[in-house]
Amino acid sequence: MTAELNKKPGLETLRAAISRLEGHSDRRRRMLPFGVCEIDSRLPGGGLALGALHEVAGGGNDALHSAAAGQFCAGIAARTRGKVLWIVTRQDVFAPSLKQVGLSARRTIFVEATSDVDVLACFEEGLRHGGLGAVVAEVARLSMTASRRLQLAAETSGSLGIAIRRWRRQTDAADFGQPTASVTRWRVSVLPSVPLPVPGVGRPRWLLELIRARAGECADFEVEACDGKGRLSLSAALADRPDQETTWTRRAHA
């Protein structure tokens, strides 16, 4: 027992040294859970890391998927505390759609930049400020060097950084596959709404793809879009589906 206790501090010291060499902060990160077990269980720490950089892109180059990606980011930002800085290069952000997922205009500071260089400069300054709940920036290209600066700024202040990757041409989307220092990388695609028993439009649905998670797992989720408090939920069809392992067990014993 004494030998085991003596080994543990050495192991923790080694882990801390590796973390410092990789450029990670020694401070324990705070988490922002989605509140959906299926999603949170795939993320280290059980949620989206605050004080970190995350990337989000739409499933296509059209306005529909871009709007879904923006609403996904707004729903996350809505659940943080403090003001939200939103940096754009195009004046096409529809404020009522952000309010629909819980992010009010009174909490949001919009900044328009003329180029990716200006966006990244504002992005970094916003993250270093430390008084913001989240900083969201629309950017086409994100190099490893730029992402490392953003990640370091987020770690220093504890603010949440979200880079929405938007491209004017689909050919530019290949840059999304390049490595960056972001902690997670997501893609959001629009799915058909579930038919209602009465005339009307059902709650929007998304295909949410967790493409990369540092020290985590990749996964796909069919979800219902963020509600008025910025919260996702599993698609009703998936939530009501019996557990596959349980179903197989029942059939085996039949």
Side-chain angles (χ1 to χ4, degrees), residues 30 32 50 76-84 107 131-134:
R30 294 179 296 122
L32 182 68
L50 300 175
I76 294 171
R79 294 186 292 111
T80 63
R81 295 182 179 180
K83 294 285 187 178
V84 175
R107 280 191 61 198
L132 299 168

Side-chain angles (χ1 to χ4, degrees), residues 67-130:
Q71 283 197 310
F72 173 64
C73 297
I76 294 171
R79 294 186 292 111
T80 63
R81 295 182 179 180
K83 294 285 187 178
V84 175
L85 181 64
W86 197 294
I87 309 163
V88 301
T89 55
R90 287 175 274 186
Q91 295 182 354
D92 59 356
V93 177
F94 189 51
S97 71
L98 303 187
K99 186 177 181 180
Q100 187 179 9
V101 294
L103 184 59
S104 68
R106 288 180 296 180
R107 280 191 61 198
T108 311
I109 304 169
F110 291 101
V111 174
E112 183 182 359
T114 58
S115 67
D116 273 2
V117 174
D118 293 335
V119 169
L120 292 172
C122 294
F123 199 176
E124 185 176 345
E125 285 300 316
L127 288 173
R128 290 192 184 282
H129 182 269

Side-chain angles (χ1 to χ4, degrees), residues 82-252:
K83 294 285 187 178
V84 175
L85 181 64
W86 197 294
I87 309 163
V88 301
T89 55
R90 287 175 274 186
Q91 295 182 354
D92 59 356
V93 177
F94 189 51
S97 71
L98 303 187
K99 186 177 181 180
Q100 187 179 9
V101 294
L103 184 59
S104 68
R106 288 180 296 180
R107 280 191 61 198
T108 311
I109 304 169
F110 291 101
V111 174
E112 183 182 359
T114 58
S115 67
D116 273 2
V117 174
D118 293 335
V119 169
L120 292 172
C122 294
F123 199 176
E124 185 176 345
E125 285 300 316
L127 288 173
R128 290 192 184 282
H129 182 269
L132 299 168
V135 182
V136 182
E138 300 176 2
V139 60
R141 293 187 174 276
L142 184 63
S143 67
M144 176 60 80
T145 300
S147 65
R148 279 176 175 167
R149 292 180 63 91
L150 295 171
Q151 173 64 24
L152 181 59
E155 287 182 353
T156 302
S157 67
S159 296
L160 175 70
I162 305 177
I164 303 181
R165 307 297 301 276
R166 294 188 65 184
W167 306 275
R168 296 186 183 276
R169 297 178 300 275
Q170 186 61 33
T171 53
D172 296 334
D175 187 71
F176 191 55
Q178 299 301 313
T180 65
S182 59
V183 174
T184 64
R185 180 179 283 176
W186 305 80
R187 185 162 52 207
V188 187
S189 304
V190 177
L191 295 175
S193 300
V194 175
L196 297 176
V198 295
V201 179
R203 184 172 171 181
R205 295 171 62 244
W206 299 332
L207 172 61
L208 186 61
E209 300 173 77
L210 177 56
I211 299 174
R212 178 182 182 271
R214 185 186 294 171
E217 302 178 31
C218 299
D220 298 344
F221 313 95
E222 289 186 16
V223 299
E224 294 185 347
C226 300
D227 61 15
K229 295 183 178 180
R231 296 193 175 276
L232 296 168
S233 63
L234 271 190
S235 179
L238 294 177
D240 296 337
R241 187 170 62 187
D243 182 73
Q244 292 182 358
E245 184 177 348
T246 302
T247 303
W248 185 88
T249 303
R250 287 175 181 173
R251 289 177 180 174

